[in-house]
């Protein structure tokens, strides 16, 4: 995978009741060479699937979103979000 795509900033958010899920997911992503810039919890949004959101204004963001999904198949959905590429962790089952 091109290093340039992995340099797109990723922010991991947990939308479940599972404590530490964002940290676990971000550790796996960092180990795989991704640039994780932060983690946190997502409140007030009910997501049924693990989702990768990306900024369509960023030239590499769509490519990065597709690469993330290919590398981490638990990300069930890719969609547009204005702002930095964000990985929203919802119901991620890490192996």
């Amino acid at each position: 995978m091109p290093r340039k795509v992995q340099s797109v900033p990723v922010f991991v958010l947990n939308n479940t009741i599972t404590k530490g899920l964002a940290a676990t997911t971000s550790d796996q992503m960092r180990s795989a060479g991704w640039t994780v810039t932060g983690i946190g919890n997502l409140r007030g949004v009910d997501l049924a699937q693990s989702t990768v959101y990306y900024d369509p204004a960023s030239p590499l963001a769509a490519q990065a979103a597709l690469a993330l999904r290919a590398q981490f198949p638990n990300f069930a959905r890719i969609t547009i979000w204005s702002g930095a590429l964000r990985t929203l962790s919802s119901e991620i089952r890490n192996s």
Side-chain angles (χ1 to χ4, degrees), residues 81-92:
W81 182 346
S82 59
L85 173 67
R86 297 175 188 267
T87 305
L88 304 181
S89 303
S90 175
E91 299 174 18
I92 296 174

Side-chain angles (χ1 to χ4, degrees), residues 10-93:
V10 177
F11 196 90
V12 181
L13 298 173
N14 181 8
N15 186 42
T16 72
I17 59 172
T18 305
K19 291 184 180 185
L21 188 56
T24 299
T25 302
S26 67
D27 288 346
Q28 290 177 343
M29 293 173 77
R30 282 185 183 113
S31 293
W34 289 92
T35 305
V36 178
T37 58
I39 63 171
N41 294 306
L42 180 66
R43 301 286 181 242
V45 177
D46 187 21
L47 297 174
Q49 298 176 314
S50 299
T51 305
V52 176
Y53 289 89
Y54 69 94
D55 179 1
S58 173
L60 290 177
Q63 292 175 27
L66 290 170
L68 273 170
R69 186 175 183 194
Q71 191 168 9
F72 298 95
N74 291 323
F75 297 131
R77 190 170 155 240
I78 298 174
T79 191
I80 295 172
W81 182 346
S82 59
L85 173 67
R86 297 175 188 267
T87 305
L88 304 181
S89 303
S90 175
E91 299 174 18
I92 296 174
R93 292 176 188 86

